[in-house]
Amino acid sequence: MSSTTTYEPELDFEKGADVLKRQIDWRVASYFSSCVHCGLCAEACQFYVETGDPRYTPIYKLEPLKKVWRQEYTFFGKMAKALGITKPLSEKDFVDWEDLVYDSCTLCARCSMVCPVGNDIAYMIRKEREGFSAAGFAPDELKGATKRAVETGSPMGVTWKALSAQIKHIERETGLPVPVDVKGAEYLGLLSSLEIMGFPEYISSLTRILHQAGVSWTLSSETFEATNSGIQIGDSKVAAELVERVLKVATDLEVSNIISPECGHAYTAIRWESANLIGKPIPFRVVHIVELLDELKRNGRISTTGKTDVKLTFHDPCNLVRKGGVVEEPRRLLNSVASDFVEMKQHGVMNWCCGGGGGVSANDRASGLRLAAFNIKKRQLDELGVNTLVTACANCRNILEEGIEHNEMDVEVVGLTELIAEYLDPPEAGESDSTS
Amino acid sequence: MSDFILGPFWNFAVIVFTAGVVGRIAMILMCGLSKDLAAARGSSVTGAVGTVARRFFPRKETVKSNRFHIIAGYMFHIGLLALLFFAAPHVQFLKNHLLGFGWPAMPHWAFILSAEIAFAGLILLWLRRVMHPVTRLLTRLDDHLAAWLTFFAMVTGCLALFESFAGLRVLHILGVELLMIYFPFSNLMHAFTFFLSRGTTGARAGRHGVKA
Ligand code: SF4
Ligand code: SF4
């Protein structure tokens, strides 16, 4: 794979159409063949549920890909195209569907859990985005984030200089060293730009917890970003490039494990897509921080003392539960530090998305839809009457805070790693007391 | 005419149906699928079997909002399968022409009940299709043709069993033949491909440790 150093998307219908054609594998073909147009997937999608607009029906978002499948892979479709009865894929399809493919889909995969014929709709939308981005039809903010990720290593343009300033601050705050470029460490820690800039308490919590556990770990000054804009926009080439950067530093630093930060899609990118993107298995074990904390806790390598008696609930990041099966781990952790942990009615694999996954959080023109989708979360929180919402994804946290602020709700959002760090036993330096 | 319907046209329908279904499944599989190279967290086999089985039932979280469709869907499918495999003439047909063995057919009252349930289900599903904004948007001519052909085969089948007049059996067989010919080219194929779609979703999810 050649190294990509820049990203300059151009409008190119032919390229997009060609890429879209190449997305049809037998999973997609079996899904379209099985779809009975029952519409049951609509009620699973937050955007349909909150707007009532039938265009937001998950399977409808796939019309361009379905058109390609029908005209290339079915008898009547081929015939109708040959006879000029149906129109071939055109640039208008990209124009008309761009908002459905990017603004009204967080790739949360909730629809994929309910389809009676088993269609994994999110898998197809992810693939459809490949065609759209190749044709140059994607939101400007996502294009910008992808360009920054390729050119600077961070979708937000966060540099090593900014991170190292945070690290210095964290070292002062915790009194602990934050290991950087330590060759032969057991774990390579990755971060998201959002954590670095918005939630640096994650980094200090991670430092304190791994110190107590005696885990040898390191950050890399060369590549520290875990998120993958290539996956969000649907550009496998960029996605592979970003993944390869991580794998390169993991190899150079001779680590055997990689820790995905509190970020759902970063976890999907490194844990589940990386090997497929580069076309071979990766020689590292990848764990989400929540999996690692649970493992360390169960092995007795970290211990906590006391519990918060504040009534709180947990928002499952979609990528963890529906793409990675990480359902019980956060609950075990929460129960160990919270005495009044209550569940939302729909949680675990059927949780409702925060509304900002799959690049929707970066997409300005989707902000109205995002806030509409948040109404579900608002109802869930109101029903429970909680003032503390714990999650394990910086992007979810950001979007949830946006919705909470917009609705003037009295709810605090806390990262799970942060919560665990608060109850460490023995406590490390820099401990705070925000939820107790 | 009836000789043609019961003879050559029947053979033609059987050939189109069989070759069409096999060909369609082969075409799907020939699209290829890249292997999932990520380290597994669970079993793809258990995942596939589990999802194929689980999706016969709706998730409890979705029942409330989809109640109408779920009930109508069960009514139609259960009624139709009961008619297909337990109506006396069908049991006889399968024994004599296909399997060489049979099983007890359902009594007349059960036939009437199954037919009523299946008809009600089919009509309710079709009404929802034309009235609900989501299904209206998704529906294509194919969905209507499939529903109407099924309806025609069912109506003529019921009338044939009541033996209202002799030609009805031939008409029913014609209906079934048309349905068989149309089947491989339509989304009626879901009757076979649902194994693939559920299976592949379940297999991938199973590898990821997800109960899909
Ligand atoms: S629920 Fe499944 S079968 Fe029904 S319309 Fe959606 S994708 Fe098609
Ligand atoms: S993946 Fe989520 S947001 Fe996208 S269509 Fe499905 S339910 Fe809606």
Side-chain angles (χ1 to χ4, degrees), chain B residues 95-115:
Chain B
K95 185 180 172 189
N96 296 344
H97 298 282
L98 220 59
L99 304 172
F101 61 89
W103 49 81
M106 61 180 158
H108 195 70
W109 65 264
F111 173 85
I112 303 284
L113 189 67
S114 303

Side-chain angles (χ1 to χ4, degrees), chain A residues 363-381:
Chain A
N363 182 350
D364 282 348
R365 67 175 188 216
S367 63
L369 261 181
R370 211 162 58 214
L371 287 169
F374 180 80
N375 285 334
I376 299 186
K377 203 50 71 181
K378 180 179 183 314
R379 282 199 297 278
Q380 287 190 299
L381 294 172

Side-chain angles (χ1 to χ4, degrees), chain A residues 229-248:
Chain A
S229 305
I231 285 178
Q232 292 187 322
I233 200 166
D235 187 323
S236 286
K237 192 162 175 258
V238 169
E241 164 68 20
L242 298 177
V243 152
E244 283 193 332
R245 291 180 191 175
V246 172
L247 300 178
K248 179 187 175 294

Side-chain angles (χ1 to χ4, degrees), chain A residues 270-290:
Chain A
I270 308 281
R271 172 66 177 91
W272 298 109
E273 292 218 21
S274 58
N276 297 317
L277 285 164
I278 64 165
K280 58 179 186 226
I282 60 166
F284 308 100
R285 183 178 78 117
V286 180
V287 284
H288 187 272
I289 180 63
V290 164

Side-chain angles (χ1 to χ4, degrees), chain A residues 178-200:
Chain A
V178 176
V180 175
D181 296 335
V182 178
K183 212 167 181 170
E186 212 183 326
Y187 288 86
L188 169 69
L190 296 174
L191 303 169
S192 69
S193 291
L194 196 53
E195 279 166 338
I196 299 167
M197 301 317 289
F199 309 112

Side-chain angles (χ1 to χ4, degrees), chain A residues 44-47 58 61 104-111 121-122 125:
Chain A
C45 181
Q46 55 197 332
F47 298 110
K61 298 170 190 173
S104 73
C105 181
T106 59
L107 301 178
C108 78
R110 198 169 185 276
C111 49
I121 302 162
I125 296 180

Side-chain angles (χ1 to χ4, degrees), chain A residues 86-249:
Chain A
T86 54
K87 287 187 196 146
L89 188 78
S90 70
E91 199 166 295
K92 190 169 183 304
D93 292 309
F94 286 125
V95 174
D96 291 349
W97 258 264
E98 187 193 311
D99 69 317
L100 294 183
V101 174
Y102 286 102
D103 303 18
S104 73
C105 181
T106 59
L107 301 178
C108 78
R110 198 169 185 276
C111 49
S112 305
M113 304 301 284
V114 307
C115 169
V117 297
N119 289 353
D120 186 348
I121 302 162
Y123 170 81
M124 293 196 279
I125 296 180
R126 160 76 182 84
K127 278 182 153 276
E128 192 176 48
R129 285 189 180 186
E130 290 280 333
F132 273 69
S133 77
F137 288 88
D140 289 340
E141 294 86 349
L142 272 188
K143 287 181 187 168
T146 308
K147 187 174 166 61
R148 282 188 295 279
V150 169
E151 292 173 3
T152 71
S154 153
M156 292 167 70
V158 175
T159 57
W160 168 248
K161 207 171 149 199
L163 175 55
S164 66
Q166 284 286 18
I167 288 175
K168 279 198 192 97
H169 178 75
I170 287 161
E171 287 183 332
R172 268 199 306 278
E173 177 203 321
T174 61
L176 297 169
V178 176
V180 175
D181 296 335
V182 178
K183 212 167 181 170
E186 212 183 326
Y187 288 86
L188 169 69
L190 296 174
L191 303 169
S192 69
S193 291
L194 196 53
E195 279 166 338
I196 299 167
M197 301 317 289
F199 309 112
E201 52 272 31
Y202 168 76
I203 312 172
S204 53
S205 302
L206 183 74
T207 306
R208 290 166 54 208
I209 294 171
L210 296 186
H211 176 79
Q212 195 208 59
V215 168
S216 82
W217 72 291
T218 185
L219 291 174
S220 158
S221 59
E222 189 182 324
T223 299
F224 49 83
E225 181 66 49
T227 65
N228 193 313
S229 305
I231 285 178
Q232 292 187 322
I233 200 166
D235 187 323
S236 286
K237 192 162 175 258
V238 169
E241 164 68 20
L242 298 177
V243 152
E244 283 193 332
R245 291 180 191 175
V246 172
L247 300 178
K248 179 187 175 294
V249 295

